[in-house]
Every structure is written in structure tokens, then in C-alpha cells.
Amino acid sequence: MAILLGSIADDYTGASDLANTLTKNGLRTVQTVGIPDPSLALPDVDAVVVSLKIRSVPASDAVTAATSAQRWLRQRGASHVLYKICSTFDSTDAGNIGPVTKALSDAAGGGIVLVTPAFPETGRTVYLGHLFVGGQPLNESPLKDHPLNPMHDANLVRVLTRQSHGAVGLIDLTAIAAGPGVVKARLEALSAAGVTAAVADAIFERDLETLGEIALETAVSTGASGLGLGLARALVRSGRISSGGAAPTDAIRPVGGLSAIVAGSCSKATLRQLEVAERSMPVLRLDPERLLAGPDEIAAAISWAGDRIAAGPVVIAASAAPETVTRLQSLYGREASGQAIETAISIITAELVARGVRRLVVAGGETSGAAVDRLAIPAFLIGPEIAAGVPVLRTVGNAQGDMLLALKSGNFGGEDFFAAALAMMH
Ligand code: ADP
């Protein structure tokens, strides 16, 4: 199996988001969790997204992990590799977008890299190199207060220059509106002038289609799901997709088994989804302080689920309203309490799977990462979309047998998301 499009995602839920976009735009796609073991047999797919956790680690670690992932993808035929970053360009002056982009390009033989985080579907647009989040410039959006990567500058040419050794240029909307030929000429001119990365404007999907077509002719590009959309549509237009853009229905072949929902997200949407679920399913609200105190709360949760799960899906949630979360964080520290709860939920999840759960919904980005790592799931085939940005996932090469999952980050999904997700999993 030769991969037509390779991607390296800097976090897990971003990887699912991209894999979902590629699938919706006609590519059969697998998302791997890290670089797969050589023994993993991947299904016949057009695109592979390798999920890493390198957004906020030291730049040298990110470079090492990303270049290893690229080697793996190239060995499997990927002629183009997209480095998938956040559509809000989450990074600092130390990296990691600049260093990883340069390292991937160098390892692939050099050449200029197109860079754009634009994703119009979610309100991320780039004009004259400036990133807008909805109606606001990046530096006036909530991203200015991000705990790990506060974004104080909307000018991505400047942002990327500060974290790069090479020169950074701009391909503006006028060039993009003039079509692929002009973009290609502009890219070549920048490259001849010694520029190693070019930030590209994009406001509409058609801009990303133009960029995707030109990026495909290069070795590496850097962008969010929007650029993935452009690359996928360009590949489909080129006639190189053997599956003919087949619907990913085989990903949702029934797996049987029991079903459960676990939640560690404290977002407004998740809290509302839990309230709605309470009307139709048994919901256990974990006591976070008891979770932090020792293993008793975990054991009690598993026993509670054991008494009910044969009769239908159960929900186990640590999620709490902001005041409760703030109080816990002030007592135990933000990171320590978050991680301890993620670990507790991942242990509960693994116990549920050991007791026969094969259909699983996880609410929370970090929570999902912890659960997937604990279950040691090597890869997912991407199925149909449940809600914007959240597809059904089918495990590939899973030691516990085939499972269907939905990993929902933060504010995603309507208020009946949990029931809607389970209705698509049999
Ligand atoms: P989201 O996608 O909504 O951001 P995450 O899972 O990424 O959700 O993050 C939620 C964080 O909140 C996790 O670290 C989780 O362990 C933590 N958490 C969950 N419940 C509580 C709680 N009751 N008090 C404090 N932190 C919590």
C-alpha cells in the first residue's frame, strides 16, 4: 500500500480533526497513535495522519519526533507530508512550528514550504499574513490568554520569523486569487531569493484548493485542517485516488459488546451534554477530591458500572462547573489535579474495556489522549462524522479486538451528542 498523503499532527485531537477533514473530502484515512509498530497491518488507505504530542514540548524533542514520523511516512510512499498545526498557530518564539517545518523540509531535500493555518469552516482566515479568529485578529482573540502558548501577534510572517532560522515570505491573496500558476511562480521567486517558508493568505475554501494544488508539488507543507482540505481536493481532482472517494461506511461495521461514555471535559458544551444524557442513561458523577485521595473512588466507579452496564450504556464523569474546578485547582495545583483526574478516568476506561465495552465515547481532548494511551490503541480508521469535527473512529490492530470510539474535544457537539454518537455505533 502506498500512501498518497502523509501527515504529522502535533496533537491527538488535531489529528482526528484533520483525519475527519481528509475523509470528508474523499481520502480513505487512518490516524495512527505515534509511529506504529512495524507489525501493525494498516488497511488500504490514501492518507495516514501520525498523531504526536509535540505542540508544547522542547523544540529539539519535537524535531526528533516529527522527523522520525516523516521517515516512516516516506518509506510508505508519501511524496507529500503535511505538518498539521493548530488553526490558531499555537506556538512560542522557541517553536515549535518554525523548527519542525525547517527540519522536515531539510530532511526531505530542502525547498520552500507553504504555511497557512487558515480553516474558513471554523472562522480561521489569513489576510496579508494576519490570522483572524472569527472576527478578531489573533492577538485580540481568547488566544492572547492561552495558558501555554499566548498569542500576542497576529502577523504570522513576524511570528514565524521569530521562531525560524531561515527567511519567511508572504504569498498574498492577490496572487492566490490569480490561480495556481501565479502562486507557483511567486513561490519559486521567493525560493530563489532564499526564503525557506512562505505564509499564504486564504479566506475561502477555493483559496485552499489553489494552495493545495501547488503544495502537492512540494515535499512538505505546514497548516491546519483547511490546508488538508485543499490537499485532499487536489488529490481527488488529480484522479490518483483509487478508492474514488468511497464513503467510509466500512469503518462502522458493527463491533457488538457493551457501550460507555466517560467525560473529563469541563467545557460548557460537555456539562450540558451530561445533563441531557441524565434523562436517558445512568450517569455517575465522580467526586474529584476523592479521586485525588486514592483508588477507592475508582474502584467504586467500576463496581457501579458493573451493576448497570449489561442493561445499556452508562456515563461516568469527573466534569464539574468552573467554580468547582477552580477550587480543586487552588487546592492541588492546575496541572497536578488535571493529570490525576485524566489518569483516574483512563484507568476506569481500561477497566470498562476489560469488562467488555467495545463502543466508547470520551469527552475531553486531554482526557481522550490519556484514555487512548492507556488502552494502547495503535491506530484508527476514520468513519462518518457524528458532529462537526468529530468522526466515528474504528480501531486498527487493537489488542482487545475491534472497537468504535468517539473522541470529543471541549466544546464540540450538540446537546444530544452522546446519544447521537452511540446511535452510530453498533
Ligand atoms: P477539554 O477538551 O474540554 O479541554 P480536556 O480533557 O482537554 O477537556 O481537559 C479537561 C481537564 O480538566 C483535564 O485535565 C481533566 O482531568 C480536568 N478535570 C476534569 N474534571 C475536573 C474537575 N472536576 N476539577 C478539576 N479538573 C478537572
Coordinates of all heavy atoms in Angstrom, one line a residue, residues 344-395:
A344 N -7.1 8.9 36.4 CA -8.2 8.1 37.0 C -9.2 7.7 36.0 O -9.7 6.5 35.9 CB -8.9 8.9 38.1
I345 N -9.6 8.6 35.1 CA -10.6 8.3 34.0 C -10.0 7.2 33.1 O -10.7 6.3 32.7 CB -11.0 9.6 33.3 CG1 -11.7 10.5 34.2 CG2 -11.9 9.2 32.1 CD1 -12.2 11.8 33.6
S346 N -8.7 7.3 32.8 CA -8.2 6.4 31.9 C -8.1 5.0 32.5 O -8.3 4.0 31.8 CB -6.8 6.8 31.4 OG -5.8 6.8 32.4
I347 N -7.9 4.9 33.8 CA -7.9 3.6 34.5 C -9.4 3.0 34.4 O -9.6 1.8 34.1 CB -7.4 3.7 35.9 CG1 -5.9 4.1 36.0 CG2 -7.7 2.4 36.7 CD1 -5.4 4.4 37.3
I348 N -10.3 3.9 34.8 CA -11.7 3.4 34.7 C -12.1 2.9 33.3 O -12.7 1.9 33.1 CB -12.7 4.6 35.2 CG1 -12.4 4.9 36.7 CG2 -14.1 4.2 34.9 CD1 -13.1 6.2 37.1
T349 N -11.6 3.7 32.3 CA -11.9 3.3 30.9 C -11.3 2.0 30.6 O -12.0 1.1 30.0 CB -11.3 4.4 29.9 OG1 -11.8 5.7 30.3 CG2 -11.7 4.1 28.5
A350 N -10.1 1.7 31.0 CA -9.4 0.5 30.7 C -10.2 -0.7 31.4 O -10.3 -1.8 30.8 CB -8.0 0.5 31.1
E351 N -10.7 -0.4 32.6 CA -11.4 -1.5 33.3 C -12.7 -1.8 32.6 O -13.2 -2.9 32.5 CB -11.7 -1.0 34.8 CG -10.4 -1.0 35.6 CD -9.8 -2.4 35.8 OE1 -10.6 -3.4 35.8 OE2 -8.6 -2.5 36.0
L352 N -13.4 -0.7 32.1 CA -14.6 -0.9 31.4 C -14.4 -1.8 30.1 O -15.2 -2.7 29.8 CB -15.3 0.4 31.0 CG -15.8 1.3 32.2 CD1 -16.3 2.6 31.7 CD2 -16.9 0.6 32.9
V353 N -13.3 -1.5 29.4 CA -13.0 -2.2 28.2 C -12.7 -3.7 28.6 O -13.1 -4.6 27.9 CB -11.8 -1.6 27.4 CG1 -11.3 -2.4 26.3 CG2 -12.3 -0.2 26.9
A354 N -11.9 -3.9 29.7 CA -11.6 -5.2 30.1 C -12.9 -6.0 30.5 O -13.0 -7.2 30.3 CB -10.7 -5.2 31.4
R355 N -14.0 -5.3 30.8 CA -15.3 -5.9 31.1 C -16.2 -6.0 29.9 O -17.4 -6.2 30.1 CB -16.0 -5.2 32.3 CG -15.4 -5.5 33.6 CD -15.7 -4.4 34.7 NE -15.2 -4.8 36.0 CZ -13.9 -4.8 36.3 NH1 -13.0 -4.4 35.5 NH2 -13.6 -5.2 37.5
G356 N -15.7 -5.7 28.7 CA -16.5 -5.9 27.5 C -17.0 -4.7 26.8 O -17.7 -4.8 25.8
V357 N -16.6 -3.5 27.2 CA -17.0 -2.3 26.5 C -16.3 -2.3 25.1 O -15.0 -2.4 25.1 CB -16.8 -1.0 27.3 CG1 -16.9 0.2 26.4 CG2 -17.8 -0.9 28.4
R358 N -17.0 -2.1 24.0 CA -16.4 -2.1 22.7 C -16.8 -0.8 22.0 O -16.3 -0.5 20.9 CB -16.7 -3.3 21.9 CG -16.1 -4.6 22.4 CD -14.6 -4.6 22.2 NE -14.0 -5.8 22.8 CZ -13.6 -5.8 24.1 NH1 -13.7 -4.8 24.9 NH2 -13.0 -6.9 24.6
R359 N -17.8 -0.1 22.5 CA -18.2 1.2 21.9 C -18.1 2.2 23.0 O -18.7 2.1 24.1 CB -19.7 1.1 21.5 CG -19.8 0.1 20.2 CD -21.2 -0.2 19.9 NE -21.7 -1.2 20.9 CZ -23.0 -1.4 21.2 NH1 -23.9 -0.5 20.8 NH2 -23.4 -2.3 22.1
L360 N -17.2 3.2 22.7 CA -16.8 4.1 23.8 C -16.8 5.6 23.3 O -16.2 5.8 22.2 CB -15.4 3.7 24.2 CG -14.7 4.6 25.2 CD1 -15.3 4.4 26.6 CD2 -13.2 4.2 25.3
V361 N -17.3 6.4 24.1 CA -17.3 7.9 23.8 C -16.5 8.5 24.9 O -16.7 8.2 26.1 CB -18.7 8.5 23.8 CG1 -18.6 10.0 23.5 CG2 -19.6 7.8 22.8
V362 N -15.5 9.4 24.6 CA -14.7 10.1 25.6 C -14.8 11.6 25.3 O -14.7 12.0 24.2 CB -13.2 9.7 25.5 CG1 -12.4 10.3 26.7 CG2 -13.0 8.2 25.5
A363 N -15.2 12.3 26.4 CA -15.3 13.8 26.2 C -14.1 14.4 26.9 O -13.8 14.2 28.1 CB -16.6 14.2 26.9
G364 N -13.4 15.3 26.1 CA -12.3 16.0 26.6 C -11.0 15.6 25.7 O -10.8 14.5 25.5
G365 N -10.3 16.7 25.3 CA -9.1 16.5 24.5 C -8.0 15.7 25.2 O -7.6 14.7 24.8
E366 N -7.6 16.3 26.3 CA -6.5 15.7 27.1 C -7.0 14.3 27.6 O -6.3 13.4 27.7 CB -6.1 16.6 28.3 CG -5.5 17.9 27.9 CD -4.2 17.6 27.1 OE1 -3.5 16.7 27.4 OE2 -3.9 18.4 26.2
T367 N -8.3 14.3 28.1 CA -8.8 13.1 28.6 C -8.8 12.0 27.5 O -8.5 10.8 27.8 CB -10.3 13.3 29.1 OG1 -10.3 14.5 29.9 CG2 -10.9 12.1 29.8
S368 N -9.2 12.3 26.3 CA -9.1 11.3 25.2 C -7.7 10.8 25.0 O -7.5 9.6 24.8 CB -9.6 12.0 23.9 OG -10.9 12.4 24.0
G369 N -6.7 11.7 25.0 CA -5.3 11.3 24.8 C -4.9 10.3 25.9 O -4.3 9.3 25.6
A370 N -5.3 10.6 27.1 CA -4.9 9.7 28.2 C -5.6 8.4 28.1 O -4.9 7.3 28.3 CB -5.3 10.4 29.6
A371 N -6.9 8.4 27.7 CA -7.6 7.1 27.5 C -7.0 6.3 26.4 O -6.8 5.1 26.6 CB -9.1 7.4 27.3
V372 N -6.7 6.9 25.3 CA -6.2 6.2 24.1 C -4.8 5.6 24.4 O -4.5 4.5 24.1 CB -6.2 7.1 22.9 CG1 -5.3 6.5 21.8 CG2 -7.6 7.4 22.4
D373 N -4.0 6.4 25.1 CA -2.7 5.9 25.5 C -2.8 4.7 26.4 O -2.1 3.7 26.3 CB -1.9 7.0 26.2 CG -1.3 8.0 25.2 OD1 -1.3 7.6 24.0 OD2 -0.8 9.0 25.6
R374 N -3.7 4.8 27.4 CA -3.8 3.7 28.4 C -4.4 2.4 27.7 O -3.9 1.3 28.0 CB -4.8 4.2 29.5 CG -5.3 3.1 30.5 CD -4.4 2.7 31.6 NE -3.8 3.8 32.4 CZ -3.2 3.6 33.5 NH1 -3.0 2.4 34.0 NH2 -2.8 4.7 34.2
L375 N -5.3 2.6 26.8 CA -5.8 1.4 26.0 C -4.8 0.9 25.0 O -5.0 -0.2 24.5 CB -7.1 1.8 25.3 CG -8.3 2.1 26.2 CD1 -9.5 2.6 25.4 CD2 -8.7 0.9 27.0
A376 N -3.7 1.7 24.8 CA -2.7 1.3 23.8 C -3.2 1.0 22.4 O -2.8 0.0 21.8 CB -1.8 0.1 24.4
I377 N -4.2 1.8 22.0 CA -4.8 1.6 20.7 C -3.8 2.1 19.6 O -3.3 3.3 19.7 CB -6.1 2.4 20.5 CG1 -7.1 1.8 21.5 CG2 -6.6 2.3 19.1 CD1 -8.4 2.6 21.7
P378 N -3.3 1.3 18.7 CA -2.3 1.7 17.8 C -2.8 2.7 16.7 O -2.0 3.6 16.2 CB -1.7 0.5 17.2 CG -2.7 -0.6 17.4 CD -3.6 -0.2 18.5
A379 N -4.0 2.5 16.2 CA -4.4 3.4 15.1 C -5.9 3.3 15.0 O -6.6 2.5 15.5 CB -3.8 2.9 13.8
F380 N -6.5 4.3 14.2 CA -7.9 4.4 13.9 C -8.2 4.6 12.4 O -7.5 5.4 11.8 CB -8.5 5.6 14.6 CG -8.4 5.6 16.1 CD1 -7.6 6.5 16.7 CD2 -9.2 4.8 16.8 CE1 -7.5 6.5 18.1 CE2 -9.2 4.8 18.2 CZ -8.3 5.7 18.9
L381 N -9.2 3.9 11.9 CA -9.7 4.2 10.6 C -10.8 5.2 10.8 O -11.6 5.1 11.8 CB -10.3 2.9 10.0 CG -10.8 3.0 8.6 CD1 -9.7 3.4 7.6 CD2 -11.4 1.7 8.1
I382 N -10.9 6.2 10.0 CA -11.9 7.3 10.2 C -13.2 7.0 9.5 O -13.2 6.7 8.3 CB -11.3 8.6 9.6 CG1 -9.9 8.9 10.1 CG2 -12.2 9.8 10.0 CD1 -9.7 8.9 11.6
G383 N -14.3 7.1 10.3 CA -15.6 6.8 9.8 C -16.4 8.1 9.6 O -15.8 9.2 9.5
P384 N -17.7 8.0 9.4 CA -18.5 9.1 9.2 C -18.5 10.1 10.4 O -18.3 9.7 11.5 CB -19.9 8.6 8.9 CG -19.9 7.1 9.3 CD -18.4 6.7 9.5
E385 N -18.9 11.3 10.1 CA -18.9 12.4 11.1 C -20.2 12.3 12.0 O -21.3 12.2 11.5 CB -18.8 13.7 10.3 CG -18.5 14.9 11.2 CD -18.3 16.2 10.3 OE1 -19.2 16.5 9.6 OE2 -17.2 16.8 10.5
I386 N -20.0 12.5 13.3 CA -21.1 12.5 14.2 C -21.6 13.9 14.3 O -22.8 14.2 14.3 CB -20.7 12.0 15.6 CG1 -20.1 10.6 15.5 CG2 -21.9 12.0 16.5 CD1 -19.3 10.2 16.7
A387 N -20.7 14.8 14.6 CA -20.9 16.3 14.7 C -19.7 16.9 14.1 O -18.7 16.3 13.9 CB -21.1 16.7 16.2
A388 N -19.8 18.2 13.8 CA -18.7 18.9 13.1 C -17.4 18.6 13.8 O -17.2 18.8 15.1 CB -18.9 20.4 13.1
G389 N -16.4 18.1 13.1 CA -15.1 17.8 13.7 C -14.9 16.5 14.5 O -13.8 16.2 15.0
V390 N -16.0 15.8 14.7 CA -15.9 14.5 15.5 C -16.4 13.3 14.7 O -17.6 13.1 14.5 CB -16.7 14.6 16.8 CG1 -16.3 13.5 17.7 CG2 -16.6 15.9 17.4
P391 N -15.5 12.5 14.2 CA -15.9 11.3 13.4 C -16.0 10.1 14.3 O -15.5 10.1 15.4 CB -14.7 11.1 12.4 CG -13.5 11.6 13.2 CD -14.0 12.7 14.1
V392 N -16.7 9.1 13.8 CA -16.6 7.8 14.4 C -15.2 7.2 14.1 O -14.8 7.3 12.9 CB -17.7 6.8 13.9 CG1 -17.6 5.4 14.5 CG2 -19.1 7.4 14.2
L393 N -14.6 6.6 15.1 CA -13.3 6.0 14.8 C -13.3 4.5 15.0 O -14.0 4.0 16.0 CB -12.2 6.6 15.8 CG -12.1 8.1 15.9 CD1 -11.2 8.5 17.1 CD2 -11.4 8.5 14.6
R394 N -12.7 3.7 14.1 CA -12.7 2.3 14.3 C -11.2 1.9 14.6 O -10.3 2.3 13.8 CB -13.1 1.6 13.0 CG -13.1 0.1 13.2 CD -13.4 -0.6 11.9 NE -13.8 -2.0 12.1 CZ -15.0 -2.4 12.5 NH1 -16.0 -1.5 12.5 NH2 -15.3 -3.6 12.7
T395 N -11.0 1.2 15.6 CA -9.6 0.8 16.0 C -9.0 -0.1 14.9 O -9.7 -0.9 14.3 CB -9.5 0.1 17.3 OG1 -10.3 -1.1 17.2 CG2 -10.0 1.0 18.5

